Amino acid sequence: MTAENFIPKKYPNSVENGSYTWTSPSNIALVKYWGKKANQIPENPSISFTLNNCKTTTTLSFSKKESDNYFSFEVFLDGEKKDDFKPKIETFFNRVEIYLPFLKSYHFKIETSNTFPHSSGIASSASGMSALALCLMSVEKKLINDVSEENFIQKASFLARLGSGSACRSLEGDLVVWGKHDKIDGSSDLFGVKYPFEVHKNFKNYQDTILLVDKGEKQVSSTVGHNLMHGHPFAQERFNQAEKNLSDIILILKNGDLDKFIALVESEALTLHSMMMTSMPYFILMKPNTLEIINKIWAYRNSTGSKVCFTLDAGANVHVLYPENEAAQVLEFIQNELVTFCQKGEYINDKIGFGAKLL
Ligand code: DP6
């Protein structure tokens, strides 16, 4: 499979106008994507839990226009016009136009809303870009007629990746792999695929409570962060490590080995942050409260034998991961000991989910 496979032949149907709404979730990586080649190709494979409650809902309305030599679109967030979102979408349209040659034939109205606060520091690019890619695929489906469910999702994930790498892991659930890996049949650098192997019941309905430590704009955009891996002294070792961690997690997920899961997931999070600390220029993306929370989690685990652990994105917020059978105790621990380190005491309870839906 190559990117050229996603270039459509001539569209048999003509469509004047219409509207589609998709809702698509965010995801949290266990083995992280950090570093990319040209055209949004990841340097290493990654795997994520799809989330359930952190979602973007996007309605795409489209109508045929006279001229087809420019993009025409407007964007709304929660009903308010958002011109500052336009450059990112314009870049996305430019990247995907060859795969969606109808893009310049229509005017688009993109209306979007998130279940989580926009300024929560939670990445909306994964849920936002996947929802938009799915809406565009619904338009293409109308122009083509017969698209199999599998081809539809695969191309939507391919397109979402061109918007934001991690977005290609948001369409399905409950675990999605992106990036070619020898041990995972069907895995690809071009799109995300559902994790194909057995998963132990320990991981069913896994919980993720997101502690909002810093709700501001990201200090370093992920694009800048990924770029810092070029020429990074430890880059190649890191890519090898991610490759190995993905191999190792296959057995961990099968056997339900929570101790090994914790070690792998926490090490991935800290490695991601250490890559940022050892790049040039260097950054510390954690805040003091991020470390307070990590230490509290470690102390709680030591004293109770709990299997709670943490992971981090490229920011200060903490994702607290734990098995469903510990939900009551861990939530009590979070409320008693961790919420105090959150900005305005805010946190979001989420859990593993099953991907995007057409509304
Ligand atoms: C730390 O997918 O946001 O969340 O492709 O530049 O849009 P772009 O990057 P993005 O990077 C996410 C990085 C991460 C780890 C992960 O989700 O795997």
Side-chain angles (χ1 to χ4, degrees):
M1 182 68 107
T2 66
E4 281 67 46
N5 292 101
F6 292 104
I7 300 175
K9 302 201 184 73
K10 216 174 170 317
Y11 294 128
N13 300 344
S14 94
V15 181
E16 282 307 305
N17 54 55
S19 162
Y20 293 101
T21 302
W22 278 89
T23 178
S24 190
S26 186
N27 67 74
I28 180 69
L30 305 171
V31 175
K32 310 283 180 185
Y33 148 58
W34 199 242
K36 58 178 158 183
K37 304 176 192 161
N39 302 323
Q40 297 282 104
I41 297 299
E43 289 277 11
N44 64 261
S46 57
I47 184 168
S48 50
F49 276 149
T50 305
L51 295 181
N52 192 59
N53 303 335
C54 289
K55 289 184 293 202
T56 296
T57 300
T58 297
T59 299
L60 180 75
S61 313
F62 56 101
S63 50
K64 199 107 194 200
K65 65 182 171 62
E66 294 283 299
S67 159
D68 59 3
N69 48 25
Y70 59 92
F71 296 125
S72 169
F73 64 95
E74 47 193 339
V75 197
F76 296 83
L77 174 68
D78 299 327
E80 255 179 60
K81 207 158 189 219
K82 275 284 187 189
D83 285 341
D84 47 329
F85 284 11
K86 287 184 86 173
K88 194 159 183 184
I89 292 174
E90 177 108 23
T91 304
F92 173 60
F93 278 6
N94 273 307
R95 284 184 194 162
V96 298
E97 192 200 354
I98 170 170
Y99 308 106
L100 297 174
F102 63 83
L103 278 183
K104 283 185 176 155
S105 309
Y106 294 95
H107 172 75
F108 296 100
K109 183 177 184 193
I110 303 165
E111 292 167 283
T112 191
S113 62
N114 300 321
T115 55
F116 46 91
H118 179 62
S119 61
S120 59
I122 297 201
S124 56
S125 65
S127 51
M129 281 299 173
S130 52
L132 180 57
L134 284 158
C135 289
L136 291 167
M137 277 307 294
S138 288
V139 180
E140 178 166 82
K141 190 175 172 188
K142 192 95 181 156
L143 293 165
I144 297 183
N145 277 344
D146 59 337
V147 185
S148 74
E149 179 77 5
E150 193 190 341
N151 289 347
F152 182 95
I153 289 289
Q154 197 170 77
K155 182 165 175 182
S157 175
F158 169 86
L159 297 170
R161 183 195 103 244
L162 291 169
S164 177
S166 57
C168 78
R169 296 188 313 237
S170 270
L171 290 79
E172 297 177 282
D174 43 357
L175 279 154
V176 177
V177 174
W178 168 40
K180 183 90 201 95
H181 190 277
D182 283 351
K183 294 207 171 134
I184 303 179
D185 273 355
S187 60
S188 171
D189 284 348
L190 299 177
F191 43 80
V193 295
K194 254 167 113 152
Y195 179 70
F197 303 129
E198 190 185 334
V199 177
H200 192 276
K201 63 172 178 9
N202 282 354
F203 297 106
K204 296 287 170 209
N205 220 9
Y206 225 68
Q207 310 285 302
D208 179 4
T209 298
I210 308 162
L211 305 178
L212 305 179
V213 171
D214 182 16
K215 303 197 293 165
E217 276 279 296
K218 275 193 184 173
Q219 186 193 339
V220 185
S221 76
S222 41
T223 308
V224 171
H226 288 290
N227 277 335
L228 290 171
M229 291 301 276
H230 293 131
H232 190 297
F234 309 134
Q236 197 50 53
E237 269 311 306
R238 159 60 196 155
F239 303 144
N240 297 345
Q241 177 201 41
E243 193 89 26
K244 179 176 185 304
N245 280 343
L246 196 48
S247 291
D248 291 352
I249 209 170
I250 296 173
L251 202 59
I252 294 173
L253 291 172
K254 181 167 179 244
N255 294 345
D257 190 331
L258 292 170
D259 291 324
K260 287 195 175 143
F261 177 81
I262 291 169
L264 188 150
V265 165
E266 292 191 345
S267 160
E268 272 289 320
L270 295 179
T271 302
L272 166 70
H273 280 253
S274 61
M275 288 296 116
M276 292 300 284
M277 289 189 216
T278 49
S279 61
M280 191 56 79
Y282 42 81
F283 295 95
I284 298 181
L285 302 183
M286 294 186 210
K287 297 280 180 215
N289 282 348
T290 312
L291 287 174
E292 294 282 2
I293 289 168
I294 291 174
N295 281 310
K296 287 276 181 195
I297 290 174
W298 286 345
Y300 177 79
R301 215 159 64 208
N302 274 337
S303 65
T304 63
S306 162
K307 303 299 180 195
V308 65
C309 73
F310 70 87
T311 188
L312 308 165
D313 270 339
N317 295 336
V318 183
H319 287 249
V320 184
L321 301 177
Y322 47 101
E324 188 185 21
N325 66 6
E326 284 193 33
Q329 304 92 289
V330 173
L331 270 176
E332 201 181 317
F333 158 63
I334 289 172
Q335 270 146 11
N336 292 342
E337 297 194 44
L338 304 185
V339 166
T340 169
F341 300 113
C342 297
Q343 219 176 320
K344 296 200 188 131
E346 281 185 60
Y347 64 97
I348 298 172
N349 275 326
D350 210 333
K351 60 180 181 179
I352 280 193
F354 294 90
K357 284 196 193 81
L358 178 65
L359 298 185

